[in-house]
Amino acid sequence: MGLLDGKRLLITGVITDGSIAFAIARLAQQEGATVVLTGYGRMSLVERVARKLPQPPSVIELDVADAGQLDSLADRVREHVDGLDGVVHSIGFAPASCLGGDFLDAPWEDVSTAVQISTYSLKSLAVACLPLFGEDGGSVLGLTFDATVAWPGYDWMGVAKAGLESTSRYLARELGPRRIRCNLVSAGPLRTMAAKSIPGFATFEDAWSSRAPLGWSNTDLEPVARTSVALLSDWLPATTGEIVHVDGGFHAMGV
């Protein structure tokens, strides 16, 4: 019996088979879940990556900045499953001006894009999926990178992640009466395609190798996937508004 037997999940952000979202989707299927993926832009690429999963899932298009696509999301998901028990938000984007050390120069139009796609979209996605949750509720899960401190080069994406963490807490408050939990997983640095686009990413990796008491592999997605599957399951029924760190213990250490 799998941890997610009978669960129906919508998972966003599967860009490559080296993404965190792909690792979550793969393990969720292995644990018994039915998975539907969303993609944006190069849909043929997303569909090709989806076929690498143990059971190739349905893929639908979703631009979280498109109100029309959000409004139609529930109906489009119902074409593949009769409801949802969990949603994974693995979406983030910031224009180049918002990363790399030019924090003071980034224009508002670029910053607003980063905030809309990386922060506000958690609320947008959750609201769009509300009609798909039943009386038993379920789980909304997002991914963050520790926003309690300032990271070199992370700049306005760090600000967007701080907003994401706050948004998750407010969603936990608003969705709790519907028995829907909202939590985040804060992962250590992983060599995903998204991470490679961050200038100075190697600086993060160097710090982790010397400070994480459990050690840290920047190529092993399994710990994050396992934690995510646990949060999507029924095994943490009273946990919401939480940020679960999967970083080898780095966040708890001093200099």
Side-chain angles (χ1 to χ4, degrees), residues 24-202:
I24 294 172
R26 177 182 53 77
L27 187 58
Q29 286 188 339
Q30 291 175 359
E31 290 296 325
T34 298
V35 170
V36 176
L37 302 183
T38 75
Y40 169 66
R42 299 168 64 184
M43 292 300 296
S44 61
L45 175 61
V46 178
E47 291 166 355
R48 187 160 64 247
V49 171
R51 290 194 289 270
K52 297 182 180 182
L53 287 166
Q55 296 89 41
S58 301
V59 180
I60 60 179
E61 186 173 13
L62 177 62
D63 176 359
V64 289
D66 186 321
Q69 289 195 13
L70 287 165
D71 290 343
S72 66
L73 180 62
D75 288 337
R76 291 186 290 131
V77 170
R78 284 195 188 97
E79 294 176 4
H80 307 286
V81 290
D82 58 358
L84 289 178
D85 304 288
V87 176
V88 177
H89 177 280
S90 180
I91 299 170
F93 171 76
S97 67
C98 294
L99 297 161
D102 292 326
F103 182 83
L104 299 180
D105 297 324
W108 167 243
E109 56 266 27
D110 288 352
V111 172
S112 64
T113 296
V115 171
Q116 180 180 17
I117 304 301
S118 307
T119 306
Y120 187 76
S121 63
L122 178 64
K123 190 280 298 186
S124 301
L125 181 64
V127 170
C129 291
L130 275 182
L132 296 164
F133 284 94
E135 293 182 358
D136 292 335
S139 177
V140 174
L141 180 68
L143 300 173
T144 189
F145 187 77
D146 187 3
T148 61
V149 298
W151 297 99
Y154 207 42
D155 294 359
W156 286 102
M157 182 58 87
V159 176
K161 289 296 187 184
L164 180 76
E165 293 176 6
S166 183
T167 300
S168 179
R169 290 188 286 268
Y170 277 93
L171 281 174
R173 184 187 70 180
E174 297 295 325
L175 301 182
R178 300 171 183 248
R179 302 184 61 80
I180 298 173
R181 296 167 283 122
C182 188
N183 296 289
L184 299 178
V185 170
S186 182
L190 292 163
R191 287 188 182 177
T192 61
M193 187 173 75
K196 291 175 183 177
S197 69
I198 301 171
F201 180 72

